[in-house]
Structures are given as structure tokens and as C-alpha cells.
Amino acid sequence: MNNFTLTAPTDLPGATQSAARPGASFIAGGTTVLDFWKLGAYPMQSVVDLSGLPLKGIQAGPGNLKLGALETMNAVGEHPDVQAHWPVVSQSLLLAASPQIRNMGTMGGNLLQRPRSVTYRNPDPKRQDGPSRFDAIFGVTPSSRAPHPSDLAVALMALDASVRIQNAAGAERVLKLSDFYKLPGPDLRFDTLAPGDLITALEATVPFAGRSAYIKIRDRASYQFAVVSAAAVLDLDGSTIREARLAAGGVGTIPWRLPKIEQALRGQPATPEAFVQALTGLGDGAVTHPFNQFKVALLHQTVLRALLAAKAIA
Ligand SMILES: Cc1cc2nc3c(=O)[nH]c(=O)nc-3n(C[C@H](O)[C@H](O)[C@H](O)COP(=O)(O)OP(=O)(O)OC[C@H]3O[C@@H](n4cnc5c(N)ncnc54)[C@H](O)[C@@H]3O)c2cc1C
């Protein structure tokens, strides 16, 4: 039996200060926390329930997105404005998990969910996964080769989105997703949050986000994490690519942006041939073994499909 105390604050200072104490943890939808806690892999002496905080709200106009940290995956994914103006966000959410989990899982919790690999699930910190076909090919460290599991984070990475954070001293900061995540070290943490740091909202400003798509390849058609996924956001000037934003999932220990491919696409015609040409070198720097080597070719096809799907939006 793991005993813990439960607090249910109704304001942000109450939540951040309670969570800053040693052994404390936030719980939002609980779909990651409770799983790992039952396995003994998420030790916590006190739990700070976020459900009473005023952290809801969906603003999804053309060009501007703001999502409250406690909005659920289904509420955001099914919102008509998100579907119309931010398709990559909607698609990434609705292709994730199951309807039941999406009704519980929240924006903040989704970004901080843990990989469901042995390294993370086993309470023995020395336990490591054996080589597997799921292993990441980018951002592999001596501590972890588990791919980051969030679909939403891949879409947000492609949108160059930001995370709004309030700390226990009441100060607010806004972090780009690229600064929010870091490669996992010995503590297996892949985020840069300090104890008590509370995500209050996710934000993005992308005038051309309406032309975006998320493609997810998985072992079965529902209820599965990505083997490989890709998010593409395109800004076209007639038939020429003015700007391209790309990120990939299932391949990195954190959501993986593809800046070299973005650079190669700028100024090119938005044709399948030009897409294929720009994808040359996509696998540069990949760390593979015989089980996961297929991910390089699969990533190529997945990014190509995401680009074609984004381009096809009228
Ligand atoms: C069977 C199964 C299949 C799944 N498939 C997918 C999938 O295909 N794609 C996918 O993306 N996800 C998938 N998931 C994961 C699921 O989406 C996440 O568990 C969920 O999004 C986590 O949200 P939550 O609110 O329940 O987080 P919680 O479990 O409540 O919290 C997760 C972590 O985030 C922290 N946290 C939560 N909110 C905040 C906040 N506002 N500020 C700071 N820290 C916070 C908690 O302290 C904890 O460390 C799957 C899960 C299961 C069980």
C-alpha cells in the first residue's frame, strides 16, 4: 500500500506551493500518474489535484491558439475552431489513445506523460530496455532510448508552440517547446520544469496553421502509440513553399523537429518531387540497430505523406 496525502487547491498559488514540497506531484487526468504509481514507478507522498483550478479555455482563431492546461484531449481535438484553423493539433489528439483516455487526459499532462517502456515503468532505476523496434533513433542518451510518447507534442513542436508556466513564487514565464524539453539524463527527466512549476496554458501563433496535417503510423488502427509520426505545416506563395515546419514522433527521445528539411523546402515548388528531394538526408545522425533501422525509411514516407496532406488542404 502506498500512502499519500491529497490536497485539492482552488487557486494557483495554493497548487504551486503545495507541489514545490519534496515528494509532491500534480495530478490532472491521472491517466499517466495512476498507471505508474500502481507499478511503484511514481513515488509520491502528497498529490496535488489540479481539477479545481481555473485552467480551462479554448481559443483557436486563425493564427492564434491558446489552450488551458486542464482542457481534455477530446474537448480540444473535437473543437470546431481547432479542426478548422489548427488541423494538425486536432488530428494529433484524435489519433491518440482511446476515447475514454482522451476524456480524462489533459493538455498539460499529455506533454509530461512518461514513455511506457521498461526503463520508465520498472521501479528499479538500473533496469534498461533491451534493444527494441520501438527505440528512438534520435536524441538517444546513455540513460534512455525510449521514444517520447506524446502525439500532441509533435504537432506543437512543428508549430513552434510555447508553454505558459507559473512557479511557486508566483512568477510566470513562457517557454518555447524546444526549451521545455531536454534530452533525458540519469534521472530520466525530459522536461526543464522545477518543483512546483505549473503549466497553465499552451500557446501558438502561426498565421498559416490552417494548412497543416498529422500522420501517425502505428501497429493497429486505434489505441496505439506511434511507431513513427509526422506533423507538417506549410505556408505557400502560389505553388512555392514560403515556409515549412516539420516535426516527427516515435523517432526521438523528445519530440523531434526537422530544421534541415524545413530549410531544404523553403523556396522550392510544392510538388511531390521537390518534397522527396528535400527529404534527402532525413536519416543523417540517426542511431540505429537492426531492430529499429526500418524507422529511417518509415520516417521518410511518413513525413512525405504529412507534406502531401498539408499541401492538399485548399
Ligand atoms: C493505453 C494508453 C494508450 C495511450 N495512447 C496514447 C497515444 O497514442 N498518444 C498519446 O499522445 N498519448 C497516449 N496515451 C497517454 C495519455 O494521452 C496521457 O496519459 C494523458 O494525456 C496524460 O494526461 P493526464 O491529464 O491524465 O496526466 P496525469 O497523469 O494527471 O499527469 C501526467 C504528468 O503530468 C504532470 N502534470 C499534469 N498536469 C500538469 C500541469 N498543468 N502542470 C505541470 N505538470 C502537470 C503530472 O504531475 C504528471 O507528472 C495513452 C495512455 C494509455 C493509458
Side-chain angles (χ1 to χ4, degrees):
M1 180 71 184
N2 300 316
N3 289 319
F4 60 87
T5 58
L6 176 69
T7 52
T10 52
D11 58 23
L12 302 196
T16 53
Q17 287 159 22
S18 302
R21 297 191 189 115
S25 173
F26 293 126
I27 190 167
T31 59
T32 288
V33 169
L34 292 179
D35 261 14
F36 282 78
W37 178 73
K38 285 183 209 160
L39 291 167
Y42 201 102
M44 50 188 180
Q45 285 84 53
S46 70
V47 180
V48 182
D49 176 9
L50 298 179
S51 61
L53 297 183
L55 295 179
K56 289 237 176 173
I58 300 174
Q59 294 165 35
N64 281 302
L65 180 74
K66 184 165 184 183
L67 304 171
L70 286 181
E71 285 293 346
T72 66
M73 297 164 73
N74 261 345
V76 175
E78 289 175 351
H79 195 285
D81 292 345
V82 180
Q83 294 188 334
H85 304 301
W86 301 82
V88 70
V89 172
S90 167
Q91 291 163 13
S92 72
L93 286 166
L94 297 182
L95 288 170
S98 66
Q100 293 89 341
I101 292 166
R102 294 198 299 269
N103 278 333
M104 294 301 294
T106 62
M107 297 297 98
N110 189 279
L111 297 190
L112 289 169
Q113 64 173 293
R114 293 184 181 181
R116 277 159 162 89
S117 68
V118 176
T119 305
Y120 281 84
R121 288 170 76 100
N122 194 296
D124 175 359
K126 293 198 187 68
R127 183 80 188 267
Q128 275 262 349
D129 301 67
S132 131
R133 61 189 283 273
F134 294 107
D135 286 349
I137 58 175
F138 298 122
V140 175
T141 70
S143 305
S144 176
R145 52 182 173 231
H148 191 273
S150 167
D151 290 297
L152 172 66
V154 177
L156 293 178
M157 189 64 94
L159 291 165
D160 209 15
S162 300
V163 181
R164 188 169 286 273
I165 297 158
Q166 180 152 332
N167 72 13
E172 202 176 41
R173 68 189 192 281
V174 177
L175 269 186
K176 285 279 181 199
L177 217 61
S178 47
D179 298 321
F180 175 79
Y181 287 119
K182 66 175 173 71
L183 296 183
D187 64 357
L188 296 181
R189 289 282 299 263
F190 46 75
D191 64 271
T192 53
L193 294 185
D197 278 355
L198 174 70
I199 299 174
T200 56
L202 315 181
E203 300 170 358
T205 306
V206 184
F208 48 93
R211 192 184 290 277
S212 62
Y214 187 74
I215 300 289
K216 178 172 178 177
I217 309 299
R218 45 191 168 166
D219 283 343
R220 49 172 199 237
S222 74
Y223 203 44
Q224 274 284 3
F225 290 95
V227 176
V228 169
S229 69
V233 190
L234 278 181
D235 183 20
L236 299 184
D237 179 7
S239 57
T240 303
I241 302 168
R242 197 164 20 213
E243 180 71 34
R245 308 259 186 94
L246 295 171
V251 291
T253 52
I254 54 176
W256 208 253
R257 187 101 186 245
L258 302 169
K260 275 196 196 160
I261 312 299
E262 293 174 2
Q263 177 61 36
L265 285 164
R266 269 178 218 128
Q268 298 302 314
T271 59
E273 295 75 21
F275 292 159
V276 169
Q277 178 64 32
L279 290 173
T280 315
L282 183 62
D284 289 356
V287 176
T288 62
H289 51 65
F291 296 130
N292 70 354
Q293 194 161 16
F294 73 95
K295 283 196 174 183
V296 175
L298 187 57
L299 177 62
H300 193 283
Q301 291 307 311
T302 311
V303 176
L304 178 59
R305 278 183 57 191
L307 283 166
L308 292 170
K311 189 207 161 187
I313 294 172

